[in-house]
């Protein structure tokens, strides 16, 4: 069986947006397989990370901001503002796709794991994520 559906995620700017429940809702009630997720953008990422303590997300943002700071004078690609090139760097350093096992019709995530869209731009965007289930 092959199932492919897209979801959209409206962001309010830079930060983490939990997609776990929305992706789970796309999966059939029962079955085994693999859920492949792909974000259709070059300035946002998909990550599996802590789903309980928001300090983890704050610390991740702090860390990546030091690696790719907004307004860095070394960057020449600034067509859409000072967060433009840093957003692309953040996306390249993280992930634009994920694979998650599906067991018994459920995402086989650990207790403290969630699937997040990580918005790297500072302004709001609507992001598209395609979920493909291979069962």
């Amino acid at each position: 069986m092959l199932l492919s559906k897209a979801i959209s995620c409206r962001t309010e700017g830079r930060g983490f947006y939990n997609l776990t429940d929305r992706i789970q809702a796309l999966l059939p009630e029962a079955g085994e397989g693999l859920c492949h997720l792909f974000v259709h953008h070059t300035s946002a990422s998909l990550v599996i990370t802590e789903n309980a303590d928001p300090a983890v997300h704050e610390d991740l943002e702090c860390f990546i901001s030091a690696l790719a700071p907004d307004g860095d004078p070394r960057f020449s690609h600034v067509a859409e503002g000072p967060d433009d090139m840093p957003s692309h760097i953040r996306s390249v350093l993280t992930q634009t796709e994920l694979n998650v096992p599906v067991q018994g019709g459920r995402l086989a995530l650990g207790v403290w794991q969630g699937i997040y869209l990580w918005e790297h731009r500072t302004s709001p965007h609507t992001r598209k994520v395609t979920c493909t289930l291979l069962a």
Side-chain angles (χ1 to χ4, degrees):
M1 173 179 76
L2 176 68
L3 169 75
S4 185
K5 294 192 177 192
I7 60 172
S8 65
C9 177
R10 180 76 182 149
T11 71
E12 296 303 318
R14 191 169 279 165
F16 291 82
Y17 297 85
N18 193 333
L19 301 179
T20 310
D21 290 343
R22 294 183 63 196
I23 293 164
Q24 180 60 56
L26 298 176
L27 302 179
E29 289 295 317
E32 310 290 317
L34 184 68
C35 179
H36 176 262
L37 303 166
F38 178 76
V39 63
H40 295 256
H41 305 278
T42 60
S43 55
S45 301
L46 294 171
V47 295
I48 295 175
T49 187
E50 170 83 42
N51 66 3
D53 185 355
V56 170
H57 298 163
E58 294 167 12
D59 291 345
L60 286 167
E61 184 59 45
C62 178
F63 180 81
I64 204 153
S65 291
L67 291 177
D70 292 342
D72 191 316
R74 297 175 295 170
F75 303 148
S76 59
H77 179 73
V78 293
E80 297 177 34
D83 69 329
D84 195 359
M85 191 59 211
S87 295
H88 296 301
I89 292 170
R90 290 162 170 251
S91 177
V92 168
L93 291 176
T94 53
Q95 306 172 79
T96 56
E97 65 179 327
L98 297 172
N99 288 300
V100 181
V102 176
Q103 297 174 335
R106 306 277 314 157
L107 294 165
L109 294 168
V111 173
W112 306 114
Q113 291 180 319
I115 299 169
Y116 290 83
L117 179 118
W118 190 356
E119 175 63 69
H120 300 306
R121 299 304 304 266
T122 57
S123 59
H125 284 80
T126 299
R127 302 303 193 171
K128 178 182 175 184
V129 176
T130 295
C131 173
T132 304
L133 176 63
L134 306 165

